[in-house]
Amino acid sequence: MAFLLKFFPFPRYNSRFVLLTRLLQLLLVVFFLLRLYLTWVSWVDIPKSPVTLLLIFGGGLVQDLAFSLFAILPPALLLLVIPQRLLASRPLTLLSRLVVFFSMTGLAFVVAAEVLFWQEFSTRFNFIAVDYLIYRREVTQNIYESYPMAIIILYLVVASLILFKVLSAALTCSLTATEPVSHRITRFSGLVILVVIAGVALPHGLLKRSTNNYVNELATNGPYQFVAAFRNNTLNYRTFYHLGDDKALSRQLRRQLRATSPAHNLYDITRTVDGDGQAQPLNVILVTVESLSAKYLDHLPDSSSHYLGRTPFLDRLATQSLFFTNLYATGTRTARGLEAITLSLPPTPGRSLVKRPDNGPFYSLGGVLKQHGYDTAFLYGGRGFFDNMNAFFSGNGYRIVDEGDFSDNEITFKNAWGVCDEDLYAKTLQQADKVSGEHRPFFFHLMTTSNHRPYTYPDGKIDIPSGTGREGAVRYTDYALENFFRNARHHDWFENTIFVVVADHCAGSAGKVGLPVARYHIPLFIYAPNHIAAARYTKIASQIDLAPTLLGLLGIDYTSHFFGEDVLAPGYQPRALIGNYQKLGLYHNNRLVILEPQQVISQIDDPWHSESLEPGDPHAADVELAEAYYQGADYLIQRNLHHRDHKSRPIPAPRSTARSTSVSKLNVKGVLGHLLFKAVCCGKK
């Protein structure tokens, strides 16, 4: 036994690998304390039982160990190959201390970032964190404007010094210890074996065992998830999800959408939409409001008393508009909302099409209106580089107006995300006057920014000080919209314009279950008093239905490839499609069907009032309808058949719906990095 311990990769003394021993211990302790804190602040949302704690801290230890083993592999390689004389030299000693110190600064930063990320999203790191890394300017300025940076910097300095002190003695020992090369090779080989075991076997077997989403998130490791999200920004639907028979699902989808194209074309949902014969070239201004949750409005059943009276204009507008009380966003991010509104597509696994490289030209709302002579434009108060918005909209035929098109005298206030809503609306009025003067109808799609952290806006506009929180941002959002409508009334084009106000997503999406229906509930207003009667529409509807419903109100004839439906037309069957990066849901007949990776199907009956997650029957009608939407959308997207310029042609059937390789086998392919991080791609939110 003593002989074997001599070659263990984590010795306690007399080895240059002593540093790895102390580093592993430190990482596990820090990750444990972080998980303990996050569990404490989320205690009200998780079941109180020993099993829950075992899942959180036992499963969490597995992920922490897997990530920590992988993290120490690079320094272990250096300790293996660097000659003893060079390792003990003064320059390398100094460099080693600097590297260790700044590594501890990085660890302290990760802990702080995880705490702030959990406060904002109630999840560990995911695709959102990857986005925040990519768009550093907006995010860095947002952090600077939202948090007390002096305190954060002080914390980073103090925490770095403490963590460095913990490793200092072990670092000295590692730099001065003499150890035969054969011993170092054996220790390193043992570490590699542990990395492979941790990366392949352990995480795949212990993740996602609870029906409570908070428990599953707490049991994960943030940095582990971050790297996995960075590597896996899309998921292959046919690899990871339960598949139904393509021909049967195609028939069901075509029947649902009343397609008129040849039946032998799989998932071909083409149909001719005849307007009412009274089409008018009415202008359209579609305002997508950042994070406008339904709970902010007094007129909706899930309104929050905390926001009572904070949206007086929108509450009045609800009585003057065609007001949708049961509409649901397709996702939890702006890009997903823009995708649903613009393309009328269900949410597919991974990133929104807005953010993928091949993101146009698709069949879109703007494309249909452009064919009917409309000037189509996307107006955004920030830098359209963010979320790839400019590339997406310009690639789909829209003019772009973003922060770079504002002159200095047009900007009265801006923060990390761009100009305030009032400035965006003023620019919209200017653009509308210009196009209207050319005697052309216009379709303007606006995206606002003010209802977003750091929640800052011009002083003196409302009775809540700028930067004090979401409540003030909601009130300012309402104020700016009221000001916009008031100013628009003085323009000649106002009487012939349809105003659409809708949210991109809710302010928060986390819940005890993976797809909490209430966190996807958003309002929709369609206002044109001279053309559309005020009414309340109470049936369930989806963001993907906005485009065909709007075109129906305009009375336009067109050939539709939309997955959404005109909810005002006869024969509409209420349902909503919601999702996150991996879970795909169908809300229908007061039941939520959820499709997940690893071919998991689950359901919740009465999801507004229940969190009881039950296994789903693959042959149930609701499950097959969900698969028809999502499997069909994936099929068309993967073959570029939703692109505007694709030729009408027979669509070949897939080779097989059977899998030749299981998910667990897929996790065993590749190099060590792939082994470690591919193993969790099925387990993250």
Side-chain angles (χ1 to χ4, degrees):
M1 178 63 70
F3 177 78
L4 293 177
L5 288 175
K6 183 183 299 184
F7 301 102
F8 188 66
F10 300 109
R12 291 185 296 171
Y13 51 84
N14 196 30
S15 169
R16 59 171 66 184
F17 280 63
V18 168
L19 176 64
L20 303 183
T21 304
R22 185 55 57 89
L23 180 58
L24 179 64
Q25 293 170 343
L26 179 63
L27 289 173
L28 294 178
V29 169
V30 169
F31 290 145
F32 169 78
L33 294 176
L34 174 60
R35 181 172 291 105
L36 186 65
Y37 171 77
L38 297 180
T39 302
W40 176 65
V41 300
S42 307
W43 189 248
V44 68
D45 295 311
I46 62 177
K48 315 301 187 293
S49 71
V51 174
T52 297
L53 295 179
L54 178 62
L55 289 172
I56 291 174
F57 291 99
L61 177 62
V62 171
Q63 278 226 11
D64 293 346
L65 181 62
F67 175 80
S68 300
L69 287 172
F70 191 87
I72 65 178
L73 197 58
L77 181 61
L78 293 176
L79 291 172
L80 169 67
V81 301
I82 296 178
Q84 183 62 43
R85 179 177 299 179
L86 179 60
L87 186 65
S89 66
R90 184 180 297 273
L92 197 59
T93 297
L94 177 60
L95 178 61
S96 300
R97 292 185 179 277
L98 287 174
V99 169
V100 170
F101 177 80
F102 285 112
S103 297
M104 294 303 98
T105 303
L107 177 60
F109 176 84
V110 166
V111 171
E114 284 233 57
V115 170
L116 297 178
F117 196 82
W118 186 272
Q119 290 177 356
E120 185 76 10
F121 300 105
S122 297
T123 69
R124 306 300 285 267
F125 288 153
N126 55 23
F127 278 88
I128 301 175
V130 176
D131 289 346
Y132 279 10
L133 176 67
I134 294 172
Y135 302 108
R136 293 184 297 274
R137 172 180 166 180
E138 288 84 354
V139 175
T140 302
Q141 189 174 347
N142 181 36
I143 292 172
Y144 178 78
E145 294 174 359
S146 302
Y147 302 103
M149 291 307 300
I151 296 177
I152 292 177
I153 292 173
L154 178 63
Y155 150 77
L156 288 175
V157 172
V158 173
S160 301
L161 290 172
I162 293 174
L163 294 173
F164 177 76
K165 181 64 177 177
V166 172
L167 293 179
S168 182
L171 176 60
T172 300
C173 179
S174 294
L175 295 175
T176 58
T178 57
E179 186 174 20
V181 174
S182 59
H183 288 194
R184 302 203 303 261
I185 292 175
T186 305
R187 293 190 192 281
F188 183 79
S189 300
L191 177 60
V192 169
I193 293 172
L194 291 177
V195 166
V196 172
I197 293 174
V200 177
L202 298 182
H204 186 67
L206 294 179
L207 288 180
K208 304 297 180 185
R209 295 300 189 186
S210 174
T211 59
N212 184 291
N213 198 59
Y214 287 100
V215 173
N216 289 328
E217 289 294 328
L218 289 168
T220 58
N221 176 279
Y224 195 114
Q225 289 207 143
F226 179 87
V227 178
F230 192 86
R231 290 176 55 85
N232 299 290
N233 57 13
T234 60
L235 280 179
N236 187 305
Y237 187 94
R238 289 185 172 270
T239 298
F240 292 108
Y241 292 83
H242 180 273
L243 297 180
D245 178 75
D246 278 296
K247 292 183 179 179
L249 295 181
S250 177
R251 286 193 297 270
Q252 183 169 7
L253 183 62
R254 288 169 50 82
R255 186 167 54 249
Q256 174 78 16
L257 300 179
R258 297 175 290 283
T260 58
S261 55
H264 60 269
N265 285 355
L266 279 181
Y267 301 112
D268 189 346
I269 57 175
T270 305
R271 66 267 191 199
T272 300
V273 178
D274 295 323
D276 58 11
Q278 300 177 355
Q280 302 180 63
L282 298 176
N283 307 306
V284 179
I285 295 180
L286 193 165
V287 184
T288 308
V289 181
E290 172 68 42
S291 303
L292 185 63
S293 299
K295 66 180 181 181
Y296 299 149
L297 275 75
D298 297 352
H299 273 256
L300 290 174
D302 55 331
S303 60
S304 169
S305 59
H306 184 69
Y307 294 96
L308 186 65
R310 293 305 183 191
T311 56
F313 170 70
L314 288 174
D315 287 322
R316 290 197 307 274
L317 189 67
T319 65
Q320 303 164 4
S321 306
L322 176 56
F323 180 50
F324 291 70
T325 64
N326 216 352
L327 185 81
Y328 296 86
T330 59
T332 62
R333 296 283 287 159
T334 296
R336 188 64 79 184
L338 295 177
E339 170 193 80
I341 293 169
T342 305
L343 305 182
S344 188
L345 274 173
T348 48
R351 292 188 175 187
S352 161
L353 291 178
V354 175
K355 307 188 68 172
R356 299 184 194 177
D358 184 18
N359 61 8
F362 289 114
Y363 181 80
S364 68
L365 172 59
V368 173
L369 291 174
K370 196 168 186 178
Q371 289 177 352
H372 285 78
Y374 279 73
D375 174 76
T376 61
F378 174 70
L379 295 91
Y380 178 54
R383 296 166 64 243
F385 166 76
F386 184 79
D387 267 355
N388 205 40
M389 287 185 284
N390 279 0
F392 171 74
F393 280 101
S394 63
N396 285 283
Y398 290 69
R399 287 192 301 113
I400 303 297
V401 179
D402 71 356
E403 183 183 333
D405 296 297
F406 286 72
S407 62
D408 291 342
N409 60 6
E410 290 178 319
I411 300 176
T412 64
F413 180 89
K414 63 182 293 186
N415 62 17
W417 297 107
V419 304
C420 64
D421 288 357
E422 287 177 277
D423 292 345
L424 175 63
Y425 296 143
K427 189 71 171 180
T428 301
L429 296 176
Q430 177 200 88
Q431 290 285 311
D433 287 342
K434 178 181 177 182
V435 178
S436 180
E438 299 170 354
H439 305 289
R440 299 175 60 197
F442 56 80
F443 167 57
F444 291 169
H445 186 163
L446 282 61
M447 182 67 229
T448 72
T449 60
S450 291
N451 191 27
H452 193 294
R453 189 181 294 275
Y455 313 127
T456 55
Y457 38 83
D459 293 327
K461 302 291 185 175
I462 61 172
D463 57 357
I464 302 176
S466 172
T468 56
R470 175 78 72 176
E471 187 178 356
V474 170
R475 179 67 188 92
Y476 174 73
T477 294
D478 184 80
Y479 165 85
L481 273 168
E482 180 177 21
N483 193 45
F484 174 50
F485 274 70
R486 183 189 304 115
N487 291 333
R489 291 181 187 276
H490 300 299
H491 294 256
D492 293 338
W493 44 262
F494 176 81
E495 299 295 336
N496 293 315
T497 300
I498 297 178
F499 292 84
V500 181
V501 179
V502 67
D504 58 347
H505 56 81
C506 285
S509 60
K512 296 180 182 180
V513 295
L515 297 178
V517 168
R519 301 295 182 92
Y520 289 79
H521 188 205
I522 59 174
L524 168 62
F525 310 76
I526 301 180
Y527 176 81
N530 292 342
H531 306 278
I532 301 173
R536 289 171 70 92
Y537 186 87
T538 59
K539 294 180 181 179
I540 294 173
S542 170
Q543 257 180 337
I544 69 172
D545 299 320
L546 196 158
T549 301
L550 177 60
L551 292 172
L553 290 169
L554 290 170
I556 289 177
D557 297 337
Y558 66 103
T559 299
S560 177
H561 303 284
F562 291 141
F563 276 78
E565 301 178 60
D566 180 353
V567 301
L568 304 176
Y572 170 68
Q573 302 176 46
R575 53 66 198 116
L577 299 161
I578 64 176
N580 57 31
Y581 292 109
Q582 293 194 2
K583 297 182 180 181
L584 309 172
L586 174 73
Y587 180 33
H588 179 58
N589 289 336
N590 200 30
R591 172 181 294 167
L592 177 66
V593 171
I594 302 176
L595 309 179
E596 301 182 51
Q598 295 177 297
Q599 300 87 50
V600 173
I601 302 173
S602 54
Q603 67 182 44
I604 304 175
D605 291 326
D606 191 14
W608 268 92
H609 304 100
S610 172
E611 297 169 346
S612 178
L613 200 64
E614 303 292 338
D617 178 3
H619 303 294
D622 285 349
V623 172
E624 291 181 343
L625 181 59
E627 291 181 336
Y629 273 108
Y630 290 114
Q631 193 167 320
D634 174 77
Y635 187 89
L636 296 180
I637 291 170
Q638 294 303 320
R639 289 159 178 78
N640 296 325
L641 296 172
H642 200 68
H643 281 228
R644 185 174 65 235
D645 57 354
H646 87 270
K647 305 299 182 183
S648 179
R649 62 185 185 279
I651 304 175
R655 293 180 180 178
S656 173
T657 58
R659 293 173 180 81
S660 59
T661 310
S662 69
V663 174
S664 60
K665 289 181 180 178
L666 287 172
N667 291 335
V668 185
K669 297 190 301 181
V671 294
L672 292 178
H674 188 70
L675 286 172
L676 180 57
F677 294 110
K678 191 73 173 179
V680 294
C681 69
C682 296
K684 305 187 311 305
K685 177 181 175 183

